[in-house]
């Protein structure tokens, strides 16, 4: 009798859990409809970037850690980094949109509210990509020639999507949480940024908040579906994805540092050039790797899924990147 009673309690709480999950999808759809924005009408509003102001705030660009730079040079470097920051989101949204469209299949003949939430998510990421392409054209018109955004969205998406869904959803939750953390902690409080650049990330943040809720729901669903062996392989995949992100970050940091040195309007000594290269790489690793893996919500979800050994493997992989940014 006791076992039956326990089963009854379990199924009641399972039903309550299902209802809670359904409510979360419904809430996402409701908020998504309410805050939906248009690129031209709501975000750009006929404006251009203010090139007399910074783009990326100091808390993300770390330009203040570079000694012997004038305020104008710091501003130019923050604009280069802000241009890359926008392009990185346009890049990752290619694989995020495709993966979300793929996992929506689990709901095609199931919960239609969940399906609507994921369709809206994909639609929003397509809109964001269009916005970031539009912004890149505007940045190109206002900045000196020679900037080169290295990674190609379809090449990166092809490599990422070859990994397990568990790993891709984990990386996606990480990205969509750090976009929000960056906005709240660094972008929103900074009054010295180009108004248009700042608004882009205000509007982006509003829609990303719903995406992170859905990433978490779908990641947990996938986590419950796979075997321990598959999860162990997925942890390896996630580590490989972080290494791939670091490869992209290294190439783009070098390209952006070179562009800065060529276009900043004066000669830099060898040691100054080295300091600029190291500073930009440190900033990009902070922006795209370390700020995300410190996020409490990300750590809580990841920690609930993996073993201590798997956690140690992830930490060791991250630690292998850290020494490179401390000198
Ligand atoms: Fe987005
Ligand atoms: Fe998103």
């Amino acid at each position: 009798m006791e076992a039956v009673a326990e089963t009854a309690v379990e199924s009641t709480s399972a039903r309550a859990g299902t209802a809670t999950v359904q409510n979360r999808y419904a809430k996402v759809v409701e908020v998504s409809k309410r805050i939906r924005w248009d690129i031209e009408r709501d975000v750009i509003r006929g404006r251009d970037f203010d090139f007399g102001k910074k783009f990326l705030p100091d808390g993300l660009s770390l330009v203040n850690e570079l000694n012997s730079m004038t305020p104008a040079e710091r501003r130019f470097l923050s604009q280069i980094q802000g241009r890359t920051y926008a392009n990185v989101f346009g890049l990752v949204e290619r694989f995020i949109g495709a993966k979300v469209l793929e996992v929506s299949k689990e709901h095609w003949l199931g919960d239609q509210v969940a399906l609507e939430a994921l369709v809206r998510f994909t639609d929003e990421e397509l809109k964001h990509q269009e916005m970031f392409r539009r912004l890149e054209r505007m940045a190109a018109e206002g900045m000196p020639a020679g900037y080169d955004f290295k990674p190609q969205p379809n090449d990166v998406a092809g490599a990422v999507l070859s990994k397990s869904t568990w790993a891709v959803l984990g990386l996606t939750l990480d990205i969509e949480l750090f976009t929000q953390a960056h906005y709240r902690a660094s972008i929103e409080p900074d009054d010295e940024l180009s108004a248009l650049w700042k608004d882009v990330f205000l509007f982006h943040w509003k829609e990303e908040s719903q995406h992170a809720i859905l990433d978490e729901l779908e990641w947990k669903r996938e986590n419950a579906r796979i075997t321990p062996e598959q999860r162990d392989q997925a942890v390896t995949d996630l580590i490989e994805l972080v290494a791939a992100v670091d490869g992209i970050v290294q190439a783009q940091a070098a390209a952006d540092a070179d562009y800065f040195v060529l276009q900043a309007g004066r000669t830099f000594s060898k040691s100054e050039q080295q300091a600029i290269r190291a500073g930009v790489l440190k900033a990009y690793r902070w922006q795209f790797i370390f700020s995300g893996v410190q996020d409490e919500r990300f750590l809580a979800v990841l920690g609930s899924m993996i073993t201590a050994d798997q956690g140690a493997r992830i930490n060791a992989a991250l630690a292998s990147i850290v020494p490179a940014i401390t000198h």
Side-chain angles (χ1 to χ4, degrees):
M1 282 301 288
E2 199 180 6
V4 172
E6 275 176 14
T7 306
V9 169
E10 272 172 21
S11 73
T12 304
S13 67
R15 275 201 301 276
T18 306
T20 307
V21 167
Q22 283 175 336
N23 288 343
R24 295 190 77 188
Y25 284 116
K27 181 73 181 165
V28 162
V29 170
E30 186 240 307
V31 177
S32 164
K33 286 178 177 169
R34 180 153 43 82
I35 57 128
R36 183 166 180 85
W37 44 263
D38 178 82
I39 297 170
E40 299 293 334
R41 187 191 65 220
D42 301 311
V43 183
I44 298 183
R45 307 201 303 267
R47 295 176 296 174
D48 199 348
F49 290 122
D50 182 349
F51 290 97
K53 295 201 164 172
K54 289 183 292 188
F55 288 7
L56 202 69
D58 299 346
L60 293 170
S61 71
L62 311 183
V63 292
N64 285 342
E65 294 184 16
L66 289 168
N67 300 321
S68 78
M69 282 243 220
T70 66
E73 287 167 351
R74 290 202 169 112
R75 183 171 67 230
F76 181 44
L77 189 53
S78 97
Q79 291 169 356
I80 297 169
Q81 290 202 31
R83 184 174 175 181
T84 286
Y85 187 81
N87 281 326
V88 166
F89 287 108
L91 175 80
V92 298
E93 287 171 350
R94 185 67 53 86
F95 74 73
I96 292 173
K99 179 51 75 178
V100 170
L101 204 53
E102 184 193 304
V103 300
S104 78
K105 192 168 188 221
E106 300 296 316
H107 303 281
W108 282 0
L109 305 179
D111 180 352
Q112 297 298 287
V113 178
L115 179 59
E116 183 177 358
L118 293 172
V119 168
R120 296 187 73 88
F121 181 159
T122 309
D123 179 55
E124 286 159 5
E125 294 298 30
L126 289 167
K127 179 180 69 178
H128 298 174
Q129 288 177 68
E130 184 191 344
M131 175 174 73
F132 290 125
R133 286 193 296 270
R134 170 101 163 77
L135 296 171
E136 170 52 28
R137 290 196 297 275
M138 290 168 67
E141 281 173 17
M143 293 172 75
Y147 171 88
D148 183 16
F149 187 68
K150 297 274 186 194
Q152 297 302 309
N154 283 344
D155 294 346
V156 171
V160 171
L161 295 173
S162 73
K163 303 294 185 188
S164 58
T165 292
W166 188 95
V168 179
L169 289 174
L171 178 66
T172 303
L173 177 64
D174 175 44
I175 291 168
E176 307 213 280
L177 285 174
F178 76 58
T179 63
Q180 295 176 58
H182 291 177
Y183 182 76
R184 285 192 306 266
S186 302
I187 299 173
E188 199 281 330
D190 197 327
D191 293 329
E192 294 176 25
L193 307 182
S194 159
L196 172 57
W197 194 92
K198 186 169 178 169
D199 271 354
V200 164
F201 289 95
L202 165 64
F203 282 93
H204 190 238
W205 167 65
K206 288 182 180 185
E207 291 188 339
E208 290 303 316
S209 301
Q210 282 66 254
H211 297 181
I213 293 168
L214 296 174
D215 296 332
E216 184 179 333
L217 289 171
E218 298 309 315
W219 193 20
K220 286 178 172 170
R221 166 191 287 272
E222 178 68 6
N223 187 62
R225 198 186 65 76
I226 61 175
T227 65
E229 292 73 27
Q230 288 172 320
R231 189 174 305 104
D232 202 53
Q233 176 57 44
V235 168
T236 302
D237 284 358
L238 184 59
I239 288 169
E240 288 173 3
L241 285 174
V242 172
V245 170
D246 191 52
I248 290 170
V249 155
Q250 287 188 47
Q252 194 57 39
D256 288 355
D258 288 351
Y259 172 65
F260 172 81
V261 166
L262 274 175
Q263 299 294 347
R266 72 166 161 110
T267 308
F268 294 90
S269 70
K270 269 245 160 10
S271 67
E272 280 178 320
Q273 290 185 32
Q274 279 172 351
I276 291 163
R277 276 173 165 264
V280 175
L281 178 57
K282 179 181 176 183
Y284 288 4
R285 281 175 161 160
W286 165 243
Q287 290 162 35
F288 301 115
I289 298 176
F290 293 106
S291 62
V293 295
Q294 290 176 9
D295 187 282
E296 280 181 19
R297 190 167 143 202
F298 178 74
L299 289 176
V301 180
L302 177 65
S304 73
M305 296 177 175
I306 59 172
T307 65
D309 276 358
Q310 290 162 346
R313 283 208 283 138
I314 293 170
N315 282 333
L318 289 170
S320 72
I321 298 172
V322 174
I325 68 167
T326 54
H327 61 263

